[in-house]
Amino acid sequence: MTETATALDFRVRPARASDMVHVHRLLEPLVQQRILLGKDLVVLYEATQEFLIAEVDGRVIGCGALHVMWEDLGEIRTLLVDPEWLHRGVGRAIVEGLEVRARELGLTRLFCLTFEVDFFTRRGFSEIGEQVVDQDVYAQLVRSRDEGVAEFLDLAHVKPNTLGNTRMLKLL
């Protein structure tokens, strides 16, 4: 993916391992507010290649990750924007970059679990119901240990942590 510049002078680029400590810094206030679940720094480092970073003057101001869940399905996760940069196009630019990556990987559907329903609706996502994959795929996905897959499948053991979040899907 190529780096992109915007009129606001931030850019979106693939993450480097050195960015993960900054991602963790952006994540922590939302964990404290019980908006997002916490992620250990080691988990973020392991997922470095999934992330895009928004930065301005070398400072990380936002991030988002694309996690492949199945042959045609990916999840946008850990979409974060520094509060000083909200409503300035950072989140939109990150999501657009993740969609480019998803298409490059041959994905045709993107999932997200979010409180930011209006934001994702403007990006073409729609709320989803209970069953969004056929039974054969469900039988394979249910074996995953990934919490994001469990959230996508709406499994009971993740519901206490996701109450109030909306499950959304976009067709690419």
PDB file of all heavy atoms in Angstrom, residues 135-168:
ATOM      1  N   GLN A 135     -23.639 -22.830   7.220  1.00  0.00           N
ATOM      2  CA  GLN A 135     -23.331 -23.737   8.330  1.00  0.00           C
ATOM      3  C   GLN A 135     -21.943 -24.355   8.232  1.00  0.00           C
ATOM      4  O   GLN A 135     -21.276 -24.557   9.250  1.00  0.00           O
ATOM      5  CB  GLN A 135     -24.394 -24.844   8.416  1.00  0.00           C
ATOM      6  CG  GLN A 135     -25.732 -24.343   8.912  1.00  0.00           C
ATOM      7  CD  GLN A 135     -25.648 -23.755  10.315  1.00  0.00           C
ATOM      8  OE1 GLN A 135     -24.923 -24.221  11.176  1.00  0.00           O
ATOM      9  NE2 GLN A 135     -26.401 -22.680  10.555  1.00  0.00           N
ATOM     10  N   ASP A 136     -21.467 -24.664   7.022  1.00  0.00           N
ATOM     11  CA  ASP A 136     -20.128 -25.243   6.868  1.00  0.00           C
ATOM     12  C   ASP A 136     -19.044 -24.258   7.311  1.00  0.00           C
ATOM     13  O   ASP A 136     -18.098 -24.624   8.011  1.00  0.00           O
ATOM     14  CB  ASP A 136     -19.874 -25.676   5.417  1.00  0.00           C
ATOM     15  CG  ASP A 136     -20.729 -26.870   5.012  1.00  0.00           C
ATOM     16  OD1 ASP A 136     -21.161 -27.621   5.910  1.00  0.00           O
ATOM     17  OD2 ASP A 136     -20.955 -27.038   3.802  1.00  0.00           O
ATOM     18  N   VAL A 137     -19.174 -22.997   6.905  1.00  0.00           N
ATOM     19  CA  VAL A 137     -18.211 -21.974   7.305  1.00  0.00           C
ATOM     20  C   VAL A 137     -18.320 -21.726   8.812  1.00  0.00           C
ATOM     21  O   VAL A 137     -17.313 -21.619   9.511  1.00  0.00           O
ATOM     22  CB  VAL A 137     -18.421 -20.668   6.505  1.00  0.00           C
ATOM     23  CG1 VAL A 137     -17.552 -19.543   7.042  1.00  0.00           C
ATOM     24  CG2 VAL A 137     -18.153 -20.909   5.020  1.00  0.00           C
ATOM     25  N   TYR A 138     -19.544 -21.669   9.312  1.00  0.00           N
ATOM     26  CA  TYR A 138     -19.747 -21.484  10.747  1.00  0.00           C
ATOM     27  C   TYR A 138     -19.029 -22.574  11.537  1.00  0.00           C
ATOM     28  O   TYR A 138     -18.349 -22.298  12.527  1.00  0.00           O
ATOM     29  CB  TYR A 138     -21.243 -21.493  11.072  1.00  0.00           C
ATOM     30  CG  TYR A 138     -21.551 -21.259  12.534  1.00  0.00           C
ATOM     31  CD1 TYR A 138     -21.790 -19.984  13.007  1.00  0.00           C
ATOM     32  CD2 TYR A 138     -21.599 -22.320  13.436  1.00  0.00           C
ATOM     33  CE1 TYR A 138     -22.066 -19.751  14.349  1.00  0.00           C
ATOM     34  CE2 TYR A 138     -21.872 -22.106  14.782  1.00  0.00           C
ATOM     35  CZ  TYR A 138     -22.107 -20.825  15.227  1.00  0.00           C
ATOM     36  OH  TYR A 138     -22.363 -20.612  16.556  1.00  0.00           O
ATOM     37  N   ALA A 139     -19.152 -23.814  11.077  1.00  0.00           N
ATOM     38  CA  ALA A 139     -18.516 -24.939  11.769  1.00  0.00           C
ATOM     39  C   ALA A 139     -16.998 -24.784  11.813  1.00  0.00           C
ATOM     40  O   ALA A 139     -16.353 -25.207  12.778  1.00  0.00           O
ATOM     41  CB  ALA A 139     -18.905 -26.256  11.090  1.00  0.00           C
ATOM     42  N   GLN A 140     -16.410 -24.179  10.793  1.00  0.00           N
ATOM     43  CA  GLN A 140     -14.969 -23.937  10.794  1.00  0.00           C
ATOM     44  C   GLN A 140     -14.610 -22.734  11.673  1.00  0.00           C
ATOM     45  O   GLN A 140     -13.677 -22.793  12.468  1.00  0.00           O
ATOM     46  CB  GLN A 140     -14.468 -23.697   9.364  1.00  0.00           C
ATOM     47  CG  GLN A 140     -14.565 -24.909   8.465  1.00  0.00           C
ATOM     48  CD  GLN A 140     -13.636 -26.019   8.920  1.00  0.00           C
ATOM     49  OE1 GLN A 140     -12.505 -25.774   9.308  1.00  0.00           O
ATOM     50  NE2 GLN A 140     -14.124 -27.250   8.887  1.00  0.00           N
ATOM     51  N   LEU A 141     -15.354 -21.639  11.517  1.00  0.00           N
ATOM     52  CA  LEU A 141     -15.054 -20.420  12.264  1.00  0.00           C
ATOM     53  C   LEU A 141     -15.202 -20.613  13.775  1.00  0.00           C
ATOM     54  O   LEU A 141     -14.445 -20.037  14.548  1.00  0.00           O
ATOM     55  CB  LEU A 141     -15.963 -19.275  11.807  1.00  0.00           C
ATOM     56  CG  LEU A 141     -15.645 -18.636  10.464  1.00  0.00           C
ATOM     57  CD1 LEU A 141     -16.709 -17.616  10.091  1.00  0.00           C
ATOM     58  CD2 LEU A 141     -14.272 -17.992  10.458  1.00  0.00           C
ATOM     59  N   VAL A 142     -16.163 -21.414  14.183  1.00  0.00           N
ATOM     60  CA  VAL A 142     -16.408 -21.587  15.613  1.00  0.00           C
ATOM     61  C   VAL A 142     -15.210 -22.238  16.314  1.00  0.00           C
ATOM     62  O   VAL A 142     -15.051 -22.131  17.521  1.00  0.00           O
ATOM     63  CB  VAL A 142     -17.727 -22.367  15.851  1.00  0.00           C
ATOM     64  CG1 VAL A 142     -17.547 -23.856  15.623  1.00  0.00           C
ATOM     65  CG2 VAL A 142     -18.300 -22.064  17.218  1.00  0.00           C
ATOM     66  N   ARG A 143     -14.320 -22.844  15.556  1.00  0.00           N
ATOM     67  CA  ARG A 143     -13.115 -23.468  16.113  1.00  0.00           C
ATOM     68  C   ARG A 143     -12.006 -22.459  16.412  1.00  0.00           C
ATOM     69  O   ARG A 143     -11.037 -22.781  17.094  1.00  0.00           O
ATOM     70  CB  ARG A 143     -12.567 -24.504  15.136  1.00  0.00           C
ATOM     71  CG  ARG A 143     -13.500 -25.656  14.901  1.00  0.00           C
ATOM     72  CD  ARG A 143     -12.943 -26.601  13.874  1.00  0.00           C
ATOM     73  NE  ARG A 143     -13.914 -27.629  13.577  1.00  0.00           N
ATOM     74  CZ  ARG A 143     -13.796 -28.490  12.597  1.00  0.00           C
ATOM     75  NH1 ARG A 143     -12.736 -28.451  11.816  1.00  0.00           N
ATOM     76  NH2 ARG A 143     -14.722 -29.389  12.386  1.00  0.00           N
ATOM     77  N   SER A 144     -12.156 -21.245  15.902  1.00  0.00           N
ATOM     78  CA  SER A 144     -11.130 -20.225  16.085  1.00  0.00           C
ATOM     79  C   SER A 144     -11.058 -19.793  17.546  1.00  0.00           C
ATOM     80  O   SER A 144     -12.075 -19.691  18.232  1.00  0.00           O
ATOM     81  CB  SER A 144     -11.430 -19.012  15.213  1.00  0.00           C
ATOM     82  OG  SER A 144     -10.517 -17.977  15.481  1.00  0.00           O
ATOM     83  N   ARG A 145      -9.858 -19.492  17.992  1.00  0.00           N
ATOM     84  CA  ARG A 145      -9.667 -18.964  19.347  1.00  0.00           C
ATOM     85  C   ARG A 145      -9.690 -17.434  19.361  1.00  0.00           C
ATOM     86  O   ARG A 145      -9.582 -16.821  20.405  1.00  0.00           O
ATOM     87  CB  ARG A 145      -8.341 -19.466  19.911  1.00  0.00           C
ATOM     88  CG  ARG A 145      -8.342 -20.947  20.131  1.00  0.00           C
ATOM     89  CD  ARG A 145      -7.087 -21.387  20.844  1.00  0.00           C
ATOM     90  NE  ARG A 145      -7.151 -22.811  21.081  1.00  0.00           N
ATOM     91  CZ  ARG A 145      -6.179 -23.651  20.812  1.00  0.00           C
ATOM     92  NH1 ARG A 145      -5.041 -23.203  20.331  1.00  0.00           N
ATOM     93  NH2 ARG A 145      -6.323 -24.937  21.048  1.00  0.00           N
ATOM     94  N   ASP A 146      -9.823 -16.825  18.197  1.00  0.00           N
ATOM     95  CA  ASP A 146      -9.807 -15.376  18.064  1.00  0.00           C
ATOM     96  C   ASP A 146     -11.121 -14.782  18.576  1.00  0.00           C
ATOM     97  O   ASP A 146     -12.199 -15.186  18.145  1.00  0.00           O
ATOM     98  CB  ASP A 146      -9.593 -15.016  16.590  1.00  0.00           C
ATOM     99  CG  ASP A 146      -9.409 -13.541  16.388  1.00  0.00           C
ATOM    100  OD1 ASP A 146     -10.414 -12.811  16.422  1.00  0.00           O
ATOM    101  OD2 ASP A 146      -8.254 -13.115  16.194  1.00  0.00           O
ATOM    102  N   GLU A 147     -11.018 -13.821  19.494  1.00  0.00           N
ATOM    103  CA  GLU A 147     -12.213 -13.188  20.057  1.00  0.00           C
ATOM    104  C   GLU A 147     -13.020 -12.439  18.987  1.00  0.00           C
ATOM    105  O   GLU A 147     -14.232 -12.357  19.082  1.00  0.00           O
ATOM    106  CB  GLU A 147     -11.841 -12.234  21.192  1.00  0.00           C
ATOM    107  CG  GLU A 147     -11.400 -12.949  22.448  1.00  0.00           C
ATOM    108  CD  GLU A 147     -12.508 -13.774  23.096  1.00  0.00           C
ATOM    109  OE1 GLU A 147     -13.629 -13.264  23.279  1.00  0.00           O
ATOM    110  OE2 GLU A 147     -12.242 -14.948  23.421  1.00  0.00           O
ATOM    111  N   GLY A 148     -12.340 -11.887  17.992  1.00  0.00           N
ATOM    112  CA  GLY A 148     -13.048 -11.190  16.919  1.00  0.00           C
ATOM    113  C   GLY A 148     -13.949 -12.125  16.133  1.00  0.00           C
ATOM    114  O   GLY A 148     -15.052 -11.748  15.729  1.00  0.00           O
ATOM    115  N   VAL A 149     -13.500 -13.339  15.919  1.00  0.00           N
ATOM    116  CA  VAL A 149     -14.341 -14.328  15.233  1.00  0.00           C
ATOM    117  C   VAL A 149     -15.548 -14.653  16.104  1.00  0.00           C
ATOM    118  O   VAL A 149     -16.679 -14.743  15.620  1.00  0.00           O
ATOM    119  CB  VAL A 149     -13.529 -15.595  14.886  1.00  0.00           C
ATOM    120  CG1 VAL A 149     -14.438 -16.684  14.342  1.00  0.00           C
ATOM    121  CG2 VAL A 149     -12.438 -15.257  13.873  1.00  0.00           C
ATOM    122  N   ALA A 150     -15.329 -14.815  17.402  1.00  0.00           N
ATOM    123  CA  ALA A 150     -16.436 -15.084  18.318  1.00  0.00           C
ATOM    124  C   ALA A 150     -17.446 -13.935  18.305  1.00  0.00           C
ATOM    125  O   ALA A 150     -18.661 -14.160  18.335  1.00  0.00           O
ATOM    126  CB  ALA A 150     -15.904 -15.327  19.725  1.00  0.00           C
ATOM    127  N   GLU A 151     -16.945 -12.697  18.244  1.00  0.00           N
ATOM    128  CA  GLU A 151     -17.831 -11.537  18.168  1.00  0.00           C
ATOM    129  C   GLU A 151     -18.618 -11.544  16.863  1.00  0.00           C
ATOM    130  O   GLU A 151     -19.815 -11.261  16.844  1.00  0.00           O
ATOM    131  CB  GLU A 151     -17.014 -10.249  18.287  1.00  0.00           C
ATOM    132  CG  GLU A 151     -16.415 -10.053  19.665  1.00  0.00           C
ATOM    133  CD  GLU A 151     -15.309  -9.022  19.708  1.00  0.00           C
ATOM    134  OE1 GLU A 151     -14.826  -8.582  18.636  1.00  0.00           O
ATOM    135  OE2 GLU A 151     -14.910  -8.655  20.823  1.00  0.00           O
ATOM    136  N   PHE A 152     -17.952 -11.876  15.771  1.00  0.00           N
ATOM    137  CA  PHE A 152     -18.619 -11.941  14.477  1.00  0.00           C
ATOM    138  C   PHE A 152     -19.739 -12.976  14.507  1.00  0.00           C
ATOM    139  O   PHE A 152     -20.842 -12.728  14.030  1.00  0.00           O
ATOM    140  CB  PHE A 152     -17.601 -12.292  13.378  1.00  0.00           C
ATOM    141  CG  PHE A 152     -18.228 -12.566  12.039  1.00  0.00           C
ATOM    142  CD1 PHE A 152     -18.754 -11.530  11.286  1.00  0.00           C
ATOM    143  CD2 PHE A 152     -18.304 -13.846  11.541  1.00  0.00           C
ATOM    144  CE1 PHE A 152     -19.338 -11.773  10.052  1.00  0.00           C
ATOM    145  CE2 PHE A 152     -18.879 -14.105  10.308  1.00  0.00           C
ATOM    146  CZ  PHE A 152     -19.405 -13.063   9.565  1.00  0.00           C
ATOM    147  N   LEU A 153     -19.465 -14.137  15.094  1.00  0.00           N
ATOM    148  CA  LEU A 153     -20.459 -15.212  15.166  1.00  0.00           C
ATOM    149  C   LEU A 153     -21.521 -14.942  16.233  1.00  0.00           C
ATOM    150  O   LEU A 153     -22.495 -15.669  16.321  1.00  0.00           O
ATOM    151  CB  LEU A 153     -19.770 -16.550  15.443  1.00  0.00           C
ATOM    152  CG  LEU A 153     -18.824 -17.045  14.351  1.00  0.00           C
ATOM    153  CD1 LEU A 153     -18.133 -18.325  14.791  1.00  0.00           C
ATOM    154  CD2 LEU A 153     -19.545 -17.243  13.026  1.00  0.00           C
ATOM    155  N   ASP A 154     -21.318 -13.910  17.045  1.00  0.00           N
ATOM    156  CA  ASP A 154     -22.237 -13.531  18.109  1.00  0.00           C
ATOM    157  C   ASP A 154     -22.381 -14.646  19.137  1.00  0.00           C
ATOM    158  O   ASP A 154     -23.465 -14.953  19.608  1.00  0.00           O
ATOM    159  CB  ASP A 154     -23.608 -13.148  17.535  1.00  0.00           C
ATOM    160  CG  ASP A 154     -24.412 -12.245  18.461  1.00  0.00           C
ATOM    161  OD1 ASP A 154     -23.795 -11.549  19.287  1.00  0.00           O
ATOM    162  OD2 ASP A 154     -25.648 -12.255  18.363  1.00  0.00           O
ATOM    163  N   LEU A 155     -21.240 -15.249  19.489  1.00  0.00           N
ATOM    164  CA  LEU A 155     -21.240 -16.343  20.450  1.00  0.00           C
ATOM    165  C   LEU A 155     -21.501 -15.819  21.859  1.00  0.00           C
ATOM    166  O   LEU A 155     -21.047 -14.734  22.231  1.00  0.00           O
ATOM    167  CB  LEU A 155     -19.906 -17.096  20.402  1.00  0.00           C
ATOM    168  CG  LEU A 155     -19.570 -17.738  19.055  1.00  0.00           C
ATOM    169  CD1 LEU A 155     -18.218 -18.431  19.130  1.00  0.00           C
ATOM    170  CD2 LEU A 155     -20.646 -18.716  18.611  1.00  0.00           C
ATOM    171  N   ALA A 156     -22.187 -16.596  22.639  1.00  0.00           N
ATOM    172  CA  ALA A 156     -22.637 -16.169  23.971  1.00  0.00           C
ATOM    173  C   ALA A 156     -21.474 -15.790  24.884  1.00  0.00           C
ATOM    174  O   ALA A 156     -21.592 -14.850  25.672  1.00  0.00           O
ATOM    175  CB  ALA A 156     -23.478 -17.266  24.615  1.00  0.00           C
ATOM    176  N   HIS A 157     -20.328 -16.469  24.776  1.00  0.00           N
ATOM    177  CA  HIS A 157     -19.249 -16.190  25.733  1.00  0.00           C
ATOM    178  C   HIS A 157     -18.602 -14.820  25.543  1.00  0.00           C
ATOM    179  O   HIS A 157     -17.896 -14.354  26.421  1.00  0.00           O
ATOM    180  CB  HIS A 157     -18.192 -17.303  25.714  1.00  0.00           C
ATOM    181  CG  HIS A 157     -17.269 -17.288  24.548  1.00  0.00           C
ATOM    182  ND1 HIS A 157     -17.558 -17.928  23.361  1.00  0.00           N
ATOM    183  CD2 HIS A 157     -16.061 -16.704  24.382  1.00  0.00           C
ATOM    184  CE1 HIS A 157     -16.559 -17.749  22.523  1.00  0.00           C
ATOM    185  NE2 HIS A 157     -15.640 -17.009  23.112  1.00  0.00           N
ATOM    186  N   VAL A 158     -18.832 -14.140  24.431  1.00  0.00           N
ATOM    187  CA  VAL A 158     -18.286 -12.786  24.267  1.00  0.00           C
ATOM    188  C   VAL A 158     -19.318 -11.702  24.535  1.00  0.00           C
ATOM    189  O   VAL A 158     -18.973 -10.539  24.656  1.00  0.00           O
ATOM    190  CB  VAL A 158     -17.671 -12.558  22.861  1.00  0.00           C
ATOM    191  CG1 VAL A 158     -16.480 -13.459  22.644  1.00  0.00           C
ATOM    192  CG2 VAL A 158     -18.706 -12.695  21.769  1.00  0.00           C
ATOM    193  N   LYS A 159     -20.578 -12.070  24.643  1.00  0.00           N
ATOM    194  CA  LYS A 159     -21.635 -11.065  24.800  1.00  0.00           C
ATOM    195  C   LYS A 159     -21.468 -10.171  26.023  1.00  0.00           C
ATOM    196  O   LYS A 159     -21.724  -8.974  25.923  1.00  0.00           O
ATOM    197  CB  LYS A 159     -23.007 -11.724  24.773  1.00  0.00           C
ATOM    198  CG  LYS A 159     -23.386 -12.174  23.380  1.00  0.00           C
ATOM    199  CD  LYS A 159     -24.781 -12.695  23.315  1.00  0.00           C
ATOM    200  CE  LYS A 159     -25.068 -13.133  21.884  1.00  0.00           C
ATOM    201  NZ  LYS A 159     -26.431 -13.534  21.701  1.00  0.00           N
ATOM    202  N   PRO A 160     -21.038 -10.673  27.186  1.00  0.00           N
ATOM    203  CA  PRO A 160     -20.868  -9.753  28.314  1.00  0.00           C
ATOM    204  C   PRO A 160     -19.868  -8.631  28.031  1.00  0.00           C
ATOM    205  O   PRO A 160     -19.976  -7.549  28.589  1.00  0.00           O
ATOM    206  CB  PRO A 160     -20.362 -10.661  29.443  1.00  0.00           C
ATOM    207  CG  PRO A 160     -20.865 -12.009  29.092  1.00  0.00           C
ATOM    208  CD  PRO A 160     -20.823 -12.060  27.580  1.00  0.00           C
ATOM    209  N   ASN A 161     -18.911  -8.874  27.157  1.00  0.00           N
ATOM    210  CA  ASN A 161     -17.899  -7.863  26.834  1.00  0.00           C
ATOM    211  C   ASN A 161     -18.312  -6.954  25.687  1.00  0.00           C
ATOM    212  O   ASN A 161     -17.641  -5.969  25.423  1.00  0.00           O
ATOM    213  CB  ASN A 161     -16.575  -8.542  26.471  1.00  0.00           C
ATOM    214  CG  ASN A 161     -15.975  -9.258  27.640  1.00  0.00           C
ATOM    215  OD1 ASN A 161     -16.100  -8.827  28.775  1.00  0.00           O
ATOM    216  ND2 ASN A 161     -15.338 -10.371  27.379  1.00  0.00           N
ATOM    217  N   THR A 162     -19.375  -7.300  24.985  1.00  0.00           N
ATOM    218  CA  THR A 162     -19.730  -6.544  23.786  1.00  0.00           C
ATOM    219  C   THR A 162     -21.128  -5.949  23.864  1.00  0.00           C
ATOM    220  O   THR A 162     -21.648  -5.491  22.857  1.00  0.00           O
ATOM    221  CB  THR A 162     -19.619  -7.438  22.531  1.00  0.00           C
ATOM    222  OG1 THR A 162     -20.517  -8.542  22.662  1.00  0.00           O
ATOM    223  CG2 THR A 162     -18.203  -7.941  22.333  1.00  0.00           C
ATOM    224  N   LEU A 163     -21.736  -5.951  25.036  1.00  0.00           N
ATOM    225  CA  LEU A 163     -23.079  -5.403  25.157  1.00  0.00           C
ATOM    226  C   LEU A 163     -23.094  -3.947  24.730  1.00  0.00           C
ATOM    227  O   LEU A 163     -22.270  -3.149  25.147  1.00  0.00           O
ATOM    228  CB  LEU A 163     -23.580  -5.538  26.596  1.00  0.00           C
ATOM    229  CG  LEU A 163     -23.860  -6.965  27.046  1.00  0.00           C
ATOM    230  CD1 LEU A 163     -24.274  -6.968  28.512  1.00  0.00           C
ATOM    231  CD2 LEU A 163     -24.921  -7.625  26.194  1.00  0.00           C
ATOM    232  N   GLY A 164     -24.043  -3.624  23.885  1.00  0.00           N
ATOM    233  CA  GLY A 164     -24.157  -2.261  23.392  1.00  0.00           C
ATOM    234  C   GLY A 164     -23.456  -2.031  22.074  1.00  0.00           C
ATOM    235  O   GLY A 164     -23.735  -1.062  21.384  1.00  0.00           O
ATOM    236  N   ASN A 165     -22.523  -2.883  21.709  1.00  0.00           N
ATOM    237  CA  ASN A 165     -21.858  -2.760  20.418  1.00  0.00           C
ATOM    238  C   ASN A 165     -22.776  -3.271  19.318  1.00  0.00           C
ATOM    239  O   ASN A 165     -23.640  -4.100  19.554  1.00  0.00           O
ATOM    240  CB  ASN A 165     -20.564  -3.576  20.380  1.00  0.00           C
ATOM    241  CG  ASN A 165     -19.435  -2.921  21.127  1.00  0.00           C
ATOM    242  OD1 ASN A 165     -19.541  -1.803  21.586  1.00  0.00           O
ATOM    243  ND2 ASN A 165     -18.337  -3.637  21.263  1.00  0.00           N
ATOM    244  N   THR A 166     -22.560  -2.772  18.125  1.00  0.00           N
ATOM    245  CA  THR A 166     -23.339  -3.178  16.977  1.00  0.00           C
ATOM    246  C   THR A 166     -22.453  -3.934  16.004  1.00  0.00           C
ATOM    247  O   THR A 166     -21.344  -3.490  15.692  1.00  0.00           O
ATOM    248  CB  THR A 166     -23.944  -1.941  16.282  1.00  0.00           C
ATOM    249  OG1 THR A 166     -24.779  -1.254  17.227  1.00  0.00           O
ATOM    250  CG2 THR A 166     -24.766  -2.329  15.065  1.00  0.00           C
ATOM    251  N   ARG A 167     -22.939  -5.059  15.550  1.00  0.00           N
ATOM    252  CA  ARG A 167     -22.238  -5.872  14.560  1.00  0.00           C
ATOM    253  C   ARG A 167     -22.624  -5.349  13.179  1.00  0.00           C
ATOM    254  O   ARG A 167     -23.801  -5.250  12.858  1.00  0.00           O
ATOM    255  CB  ARG A 167     -22.621  -7.343  14.714  1.00  0.00           C
ATOM    256  CG  ARG A 167     -22.191  -7.899  16.062  1.00  0.00           C
ATOM    257  CD  ARG A 167     -22.862  -9.218  16.424  1.00  0.00           C
ATOM    258  NE  ARG A 167     -22.508 -10.271  15.505  1.00  0.00           N
ATOM    259  CZ  ARG A 167     -23.394 -10.929  14.726  1.00  0.00           C
ATOM    260  NH1 ARG A 167     -24.658 -10.646  14.768  1.00  0.00           N
ATOM    261  NH2 ARG A 167     -22.974 -11.877  13.926  1.00  0.00           N
ATOM    262  N   MET A 168     -21.625  -4.978  12.366  1.00  0.00           N
ATOM    263  CA  MET A 168     -21.895  -4.374  11.066  1.00  0.00           C
ATOM    264  C   MET A 168     -21.055  -5.062   9.991  1.00  0.00           C
ATOM    265  O   MET A 168     -19.992  -5.609  10.268  1.00  0.00           O
ATOM    266  CB  MET A 168     -21.595  -2.873  11.102  1.00  0.00           C
ATOM    267  CG  MET A 168     -22.420  -2.137  12.140  1.00  0.00           C
ATOM    268  SD  MET A 168     -22.184  -0.347  12.095  1.00  0.00           S
ATOM    269  CE  MET A 168     -23.256   0.070  10.700  1.00  0.00           C
TER     270      MET A 168
END
